[in-house]
Amino acid sequence: MNSDIRKILESVRAGSVSVDEALLEIKKDPFLDLGYAKVDLHRKIRQGAAEVIYGSGKTPEQITGIVGALRDAGQNTVLITRLSSEAARQVALVHPLDYRPEARAGIIGSIPVPDGIGTIVVATGGTSDIPVAEEAAVTAEVHGNEVLRLYDVGVAGLHRLLNHMDDIMKASVIIAVAGMEGALASVIGGFSDCPVIAVPTSVGYGASFQGLASLLSMLNSCASGVAVVNIDNGFGAGIIAGRINHMAVKQ
Amino acid sequence: MNSDIRKILESVRAGSVSVDEALLEIKKDPFLDLGYAKVDLHRKIRQGAAEVIYGSGKTPEQITGIVGALRDAGQNTVLITRLSSEAARQVALVHPLDYRPEARAGIIGSIPVPDGIGTIVVATGGTSDIPVAEEAAVTAEVHGNEVLRLYDVGVAGLHRLLNHMDDIMKASVIIAVAGMEGALASVIGGFSDCPVIAVPTSVGYGASFQGLASLLSMLNSCASGVAVVNIDNGFGAGIIAGRINHMAVKQ
Amino acid sequence: MNSDIRKILESVRAGSVSVDEALLEIKKDPFLDLGYAKVDLHRKIRQGAAEVIYGSGKTPEQITGIVGALRDAGQNTVLITRLSSEAARQVALVHPLDYRPEARAGIIGSIPVPDGIGTIVVATGGTSDIPVAEEAAVTAEVHGNEVLRLYDVGVAGLHRLLNHMDDIMKASVIIAVAGMEGALASVIGGFSDCPVIAVPTSVGYGASFQGLASLLSMLNSCASGVAVVNIDNGFGAGIIAGRINHMAVKQ
Amino acid sequence: MNSDIRKILESVRAGSVSVDEALLEIKKDPFLDLGYAKVDLHRKIRQGAAEVIYGSGKTPEQITGIVGALRDAGQNTVLITRLSSEAARQVALVHPLDYRPEARAGIIGSIPVPDGIGTIVVATGGTSDIPVAEEAAVTAEVHGNEVLRLYDVGVAGLHRLLNHMDDIMKASVIIAVAGMEGALASVIGGFSDCPVIAVPTSVGYGASFQGLASLLSMLNSCASGVAVVNIDNGFGAGIIAGRINHMAVKQ
Amino acid sequence: MNSDIRKILESVRAGSVSVDEALLEIKKDPFLDLGYAKVDLHRKIRQGAAEVIYGSGKTPEQITGIVGALRDAGQNTVLITRLSSEAARQVALVHPLDYRPEARAGIIGSIPVPDGIGTIVVATGGTSDIPVAEEAAVTAEVHGNEVLRLYDVGVAGLHRLLNHMDDIMKASVIIAVAGMEGALASVIGGFSDCPVIAVPTSVGYGASFQGLASLLSMLNSCASGVAVVNIDNGFGAGIIAGRINHMAVKQ
Amino acid sequence: MNSDIRKILESVRAGSVSVDEALLEIKKDPFLDLGYAKVDLHRKIRQGAAEVIYGSGKTPEQITGIVGALRDAGQNTVLITRLSSEAARQVALVHPLDYRPEARAGIIGSIPVPDGIGTIVVATGGTSDIPVAEEAAVTAEVHGNEVLRLYDVGVAGLHRLLNHMDDIMKASVIIAVAGMEGALASVIGGFSDCPVIAVPTSVGYGASFQGLASLLSMLNSCASGVAVVNIDNGFGAGIIAGRINHMAVKQ
Amino acid sequence: MNSDIRKILESVRAGSVSVDEALLEIKKDPFLDLGYAKVDLHRKIRQGAAEVIYGSGKTPEQITGIVGALRDAGQNTVLITRLSSEAARQVALVHPLDYRPEARAGIIGSIPVPDGIGTIVVATGGTSDIPVAEEAAVTAEVHGNEVLRLYDVGVAGLHRLLNHMDDIMKASVIIAVAGMEGALASVIGGFSDCPVIAVPTSVGYGASFQGLASLLSMLNSCASGVAVVNIDNGFGAGIIAGRINHMAVKQ
Amino acid sequence: MNSDIRKILESVRAGSVSVDEALLEIKKDPFLDLGYAKVDLHRKIRQGAAEVIYGSGKTPEQITGIVGALRDAGQNTVLITRLSSEAARQVALVHPLDYRPEARAGIIGSIPVPDGIGTIVVATGGTSDIPVAEEAAVTAEVHGNEVLRLYDVGVAGLHRLLNHMDDIMKASVIIAVAGMEGALASVIGGFSDCPVIAVPTSVGYGASFQGLASLLSMLNSCASGVAVVNIDNGFGAGIIAGRINHMAVKQ
């Protein structure tokens, strides 16, 4: 596999292959087959993101094995999401692990120095939304973003949000995390002129229908500049916010 | 029928029936059978409301007939909701009609002088919500309430709402009418300490699902003090707001 | 924080700030940041309600901490909803707690003497609806309302409801709590001329879909004067009923 | 085809086939293929019902053709449901037609003398439910049942229903037709000890979702003895009510 | 309470009250308040059914208490549905209990001799539907019906059903119990000319959505003569089938 | 474009490219850009199917243009689905068109001689399902399949289906088309040992929810060997049935 | 039972019954009643499939009993699906069992030598879809099919799928197993010209709604040649794919 | 109003108000009340966007009036979305209008020279998605973005998309517009490392449920870096994509 990439790069150096062609070639490239998973060793090249392991439904042994393969391939930082504290304890026996219980996430390797355009603000409507928000925040930090957390600023006490107007207005991207009626996204979207990534959460009961109410609410936001990810998908919000925050740098 | 009521009242005067019993008796009482509808001539006594005719699905002739029966029975004011302009034109040939096209409502007789506790504020998120709001406002006015309209104050431009904080705070009841994500109810509910009646509207498209998004949003409001009526049910909101606004007077 | 309010009040006394402006200023005011929650010390002023702690998802330590902060700030009565008996036992070690197992609610401090307009009737369709009804009843009592409980008066045995016609008719507000088909709200709404707050419950099975059937039923009530809160939201019903019952007093 | 049946019957007379076997054989029997429809000439034997033509989506010519085939086969009475007034006019040119515009139904031939156990009561919540109720009533009448109509007796004015308690209690079967929240079925089911067939209608708006609200409400009825047919399915209700009402006679 | 009834009956004997009036009076009558439940001692008179206790959500002590009150009031047979085996064991310590584990039902007192018109056939699509079917069968038996069980005759092996054509054709009422796609009701409805009560069950997975698929399927049955009860509602099916089967006897 | 393919084929002849590689190359190949559509000239090679034009939403001019381009590229037969009779009339002015009004489909060019394994049976529950069934039948015929139509054999009159047992049993593939409760797929699936493609239709009303009831029913079929396509998707059923029927030939 | 079949076959030999009639007769034939299940001993004849026991909800004793009856009747291979490892351990005490934990399936008897047309490819989007895919694969293998597994080739890393283009193109049938957005079926359907059986899985969270998202996605596939089975229904996919793969052989 | 802003700006110049405070002040600022709408004259400052008029539900006169007010206030470019061709014709009589029929959008004033970071690619699955895509494209162009259109590149013919890999890879933001199963977003998201805004469309039929299928599909995308806007919301996608594309410039 490595030899494949070396060949491509040598062709580039030799001028027989253009840089663009090489990049395309590499993107079509290989992965390591561990039996229980096809580990994508080049995703950072292809998608601008460190490898992330979705921990839910994987045994600690499987996680440990994937981490080992990635580290062997030179990956500096590995993020493990949806990692239970029990699994974390077992993974930590093999790899040095920075476990964040609120985010249910584990980090192996160092968190990079922020190099994005600005600050990503992660705001939540209530305290129960914090686990999803933390997953978003940690994901963004692992991908080189500075993150500012504004928790429990829901619209039922709008003065809490108004107190942080400066932060809202200075943000380069805002991740609005809310369950129940999800109005936070609309209110933030109305105040701000930066892209807003809305994350509905399954917080609520009764007619919240496990996050459906806030999902629909956010999709129908009367404020423009709002896009939505799946219910409880803090990880997805962190990824796209991170990409947005690195746009100028990329070019 | 009238003789029935006379008997009851004579029994009250004679002391053989208490006032409460009489009231109860009257409440169990009669209605006029027009063939196509059982007209409830005593609803005002029973429910504290003037008779209202739901115009949708009734012919102008039927509406005219019911109005006539009600007027004969001494009803001063009759409200006809969901009345098309075509039907209104025909009804107006028979009964003097005050037609409100935006509310799709017609009023026969005089609007009573307001005698409620305070002012009912009717607020909308956008201009498209106005027909529903007007139905609520006219319904409330016909039942003796002072109404203040605050239209197009949705949360996407929160400063428009903040400009009217005084009105919000002085209201005795607030009717919050909004489609799309329906966040208006939560934001108003967070500012205000009076009862808020939320009316989801079918305004919106796509995942608004004809008002489902705002309905669920309002039911899951993180602000307390909010209760919800059916989608586009301006009439229902006007009725309950009017009852709330007349509580002290009733006792 | 207190100094902020003092400044405002001194300005009022000095005449440089009007009462209304001061009230508005206070409403925009502060909250105590405990790290795990932003405690709103002025909610009573802003929304006319004592602070309520939503116990679900909070540790006993967190609850105890919030209670302490509120008591320090002079709050007489604190209501904790969705409080499990286990958590209650632990909270009771620190603060004297009046625990109501049926309502899954705990009260710290004294229940105020009722000072509302009249009596709030809390009615249920069946015995399984009682926990939700008790949450509503206790919430209303904690906020200064007299409450009359009419349990197990569902429409399948209408004579049980008819037996309590007097209570229904004397109520200032009625909270109708029902699962299954939720017809109680419509029947009560047909009899009564006071505002009816309907609470669908998740009681039922099969096509009740965790309360969806009664929610839709109540939203479509053919009786006017009915507004609906979220499924199982006894707390919300108690709050808005309490506000309605205090309207005349407020003015 | 007739010859097939003759053979079966001759076998019965000859004793080589039992009556039960013959009936079974006949039930497996033939139908007339008109090209556009397989007309079931023996359905009366197989299901105890006259042939019914579902008029919706059939041309007047097709309806006329099917009626002709049925009449030729000796069918006395033919019911055509969902028959528009336009189509009725054209059918009436060929066959003498008793058209009932409210039921959107046409009858060819005579309505049989009632020979059921008792009276089928058809009750509706409102006037808008009458078309569905009439379809049920006419269907039942065509199948030999006496029908009593109680229209506009919805639970919002329960006294209208209480006025007809005698009728409710004497019914052999009750068909409860209601849209909106469909509470009529539960209230009638609570009063009555006869089988109740509930018909949800699509009457309503907003969160009635074209009859879903009343459908779910009726399925979750807290009264026992209630079973439900499809939304707006007056025909189905008339059929099963008629079968119930003919039970004793059949044996 | 008893004295109330005695008075009524004496009035009847004295001629001052007609039998019908008396019956109506009794139907509006009393119930025993045990604190945790209003026990309806006259339901048999009012609805033609023995008292049934819905065991789910009640403690063994509560069940035992209600049974005692009913037995004291002269009730011969008491059916307890949704009764877990653990609760049954405890109830059996106080009252002699005939527990049917498959039906999750307990019977106290004797099962009456069948006195209905004919036989109620209870058919299931598969073996997993048997608990719901047994609840229906036991309910019917306790109310004086002869029951014939045809289990595991689903349409995927139609010959199993065809083998029982005689039973299907002789039934006075058929209860068709099926999960998954619920086609059993339509096929039986096509063969039979007696009323069919369809019971969707929550048996299935994936897009069965806990019984929604079979519920919708049964409501849309192309066979006429089918009415539907709630998902898994074997009890409801048993009740209405029993009433149908007792029609002629009642008159 | 043609030159591209010629090059590939020449390489194959020269041995520098294997047949499989060539086929793969061709499959990645070109399409004709008409501005309003990218016409796929090689789909027959890639997917074994003649080009099909989805007529809905295209103007007669656009359809005519696409047909022209396809015919120029050597396509013998073109199928146009969802073609209104108005559009058909206009297309027929330019290209000789065999229009099938029931299927709402037009055929240009000759229908190929059937060359599949056996016969595809297309069965419908009722007459209203025929348009969808015809779309399936015509699609299959255009792709070289022999088709046998069994219409109006729904389960409510199972004898109609039993009459055609031989056809069912000899089929190589069966397409079961049904609306309402969609039980036809299960019953046919229980009788047959060939693959069954089920097509739910939007035929029905009320709780059929535009075909949802039959869709869910078919997905939950208790008979194995059944797979389902989209509601009203006769075309999709015809395509996959045709592919199945050509399997052995392909190898 | 056997004697029944013998009689039929003797009649065939004697010429009094044709082969087709005999086959039909056998198909209508018997099953063994074990009390808890009607075991279908002739399903292999009727549907071309070995008997399969759906293990979920059956006790190990019941499973063991059914296996015994089937083996006694001469069945070579028995497949038990949805078999927990605990139940497997107990069944293995009585019958030699080949248990596949990933598929949650047990096999008794030998897996037949593949005799289908070609290879069935089973592809999954992710690793979490493997249990469903394995159920499909084992089911197909037990029914005489060669199976090629392509796991973890979801569209988020399309190069993984492109790497296996040869396998995709050589397949006789493809089973596409995917949760989340289920796009795998469309992409494979676009590449391939063989029948594609799509299996949505309940893998995902939030707005996947337990597989609804992938189910709807697959039903709406823009690629033709795709049909869908129930969510997580690997067994159903294996059955129909196996039948398709045996088509030519059957004729 | 203008004087208000002048005051603020003078305070800034005087140093008594910081730039940030001034910006905040302006954002809380005024709007012009036309009676039928509150026109927000400072939205460009507040949200970085030109004013957009949602044309649906407004009369040509209202649109013309709003445009006039905006132009008077100095707005260079006004975008009118959801503008019918009829309304466009009337607006064009008053203001010079550049009408784009496919996008159903009108532009008044000049389209600014692109000044974003890079190119926004707008891709569609099919030709029917083009109106939504055009709304997105025109919205982005009006807000100063360069747009590249890639239409009809759906996954059923993946080679069409692969042909444009270079464009996909060079994009700064991609808007993926697709109905039916919406797989386009996942496939593009898998190839690309830039933010992807997914727009589900209501294109499709049957179980697409007016765009629900593609909405759920996109929300559950297995590719990271994808966020979703409302069904058919091309405008919303254009706005957020434009904001992302202007990030670096803004700082």
Side-chain angles (χ1 to χ4, degrees), chain F residues 43-56:
Chain F
R43 186 172 288 181
K44 187 166 173 53
I45 301 170
R46 205 176 71 251
Q47 292 199 330
E51 178 75 7
V52 179
I53 302 171
Y54 183 71
S56 170

Side-chain angles (χ1 to χ4, degrees), chain C residues 1-211:
Chain C
M1 187 175 57
N2 279 338
S3 59
D4 285 358
I5 299 178
R6 197 175 305 125
K7 271 186 216 159
I8 293 168
L9 297 180
E10 284 165 357
S11 304
V12 173
R13 209 183 328 145
S16 64
V17 164
S18 76
V19 171
D20 279 5
E21 284 169 346
L23 208 59
L24 177 59
E25 206 51 50
I26 288 167
K27 287 192 183 187
K28 287 186 184 158
D29 201 349
F31 41 85
L32 179 62
D33 199 328
L34 295 181
Y36 45 82
K38 295 201 168 65
V39 179
D40 192 339
L41 299 171
H42 299 142
R43 187 171 287 182
K44 190 166 172 49
I45 301 170
R46 206 177 69 251
Q47 292 199 329
E51 180 75 8
V52 180
I53 302 171
Y54 184 70
S56 170
K58 295 204 177 68
T59 64
E61 290 72 31
Q62 288 177 326
I63 294 171
T64 303
I66 299 173
V67 169
L70 289 166
R71 303 278 289 186
D72 290 352
Q75 184 92 40
N76 279 333
T77 310
V78 178
L79 174 65
I80 313 164
T81 63
R82 306 284 162 110
L83 183 68
S84 69
S85 56
E86 295 80 48
R89 226 172 303 129
Q90 290 187 262
V91 172
L93 298 177
V94 182
H95 301 285
L97 183 81
D98 172 5
Y99 185 62
R100 310 286 178 91
E102 283 216 309
R104 292 160 302 164
I107 304 162
I108 288 164
S110 57
I111 295 184
V113 175
D115 58 355
I117 297 173
T119 300
I120 296 175
V121 166
V122 180
T124 76
T127 56
S128 310
D129 303 313
I130 291 178
V132 175
E134 276 299 314
E135 189 182 87
V138 169
T139 298
E141 287 170 340
V142 164
H143 289 84
N145 297 284
E146 191 178 334
V147 172
L148 176 68
R149 290 153 169 88
L150 295 182
Y151 291 167
D152 199 16
V153 293
V155 301
L158 205 58
H159 54 299
R160 296 178 299 182
L161 185 62
L162 295 176
N163 272 9
H164 292 285
M165 273 299 275
D166 279 3
D167 296 322
I168 295 290
M169 283 169 56
K170 282 185 209 146
S172 65
V173 192
I174 302 173
I175 297 176
V177 184
M180 303 178 84
E181 92 284 58
L184 184 67
S186 289
V187 172
I188 285 182
F191 280 133
S192 167
D193 57 356
C194 75
V196 175
I197 303 301
V199 192
T201 72
S202 54
V203 169
Y205 60 89
S208 85
F209 296 121
Q210 283 80 55

Side-chain angles (χ1 to χ4, degrees), chain G residues 177-223:
Chain G
V177 183
M180 304 177 82
E181 93 282 60
L184 184 67
S186 289
V187 173
I188 285 181
F191 280 133
S192 167
D193 57 356
C194 76
V196 176
I197 304 301
V199 191
T201 71
S202 54
V203 169
Y205 60 87
S208 85
F209 296 124
Q210 285 78 53
L212 179 64
S214 56
L215 171 63
L216 292 183
S217 178
M218 287 168 166
L219 285 167
N220 286 283
S221 175
C222 54

Side-chain angles (χ1 to χ4, degrees), chain A residues 79 81-82 120-123 131-141 143 145 147 173-178 195-201 218 227-245, chain G residues 205, chain H residues 195-196 219 221 223-228 240 244:
Chain A
L79 174 66
T81 63
R82 306 282 162 111
I120 296 175
V121 166
V122 181
V132 175
E134 276 299 314
E135 188 182 89
V138 169
T139 299
E141 286 170 339
H143 289 84
N145 297 284
V147 172
V173 191
I174 303 172
I175 298 175
V177 183
V196 176
I197 304 301
V199 192
T201 71
M218 287 169 167
V228 186
V229 297
N230 197 0
I231 298 165
D232 290 337
N233 189 5
F235 168 69
I239 287 291
I240 191 168
R243 290 193 186 174
I244 294 171
N245 194 37
Chain G
Y205 60 87
Chain H
V196 176
L219 285 168
S221 176
S224 47
V226 178
V228 186
I240 190 168
I244 294 171

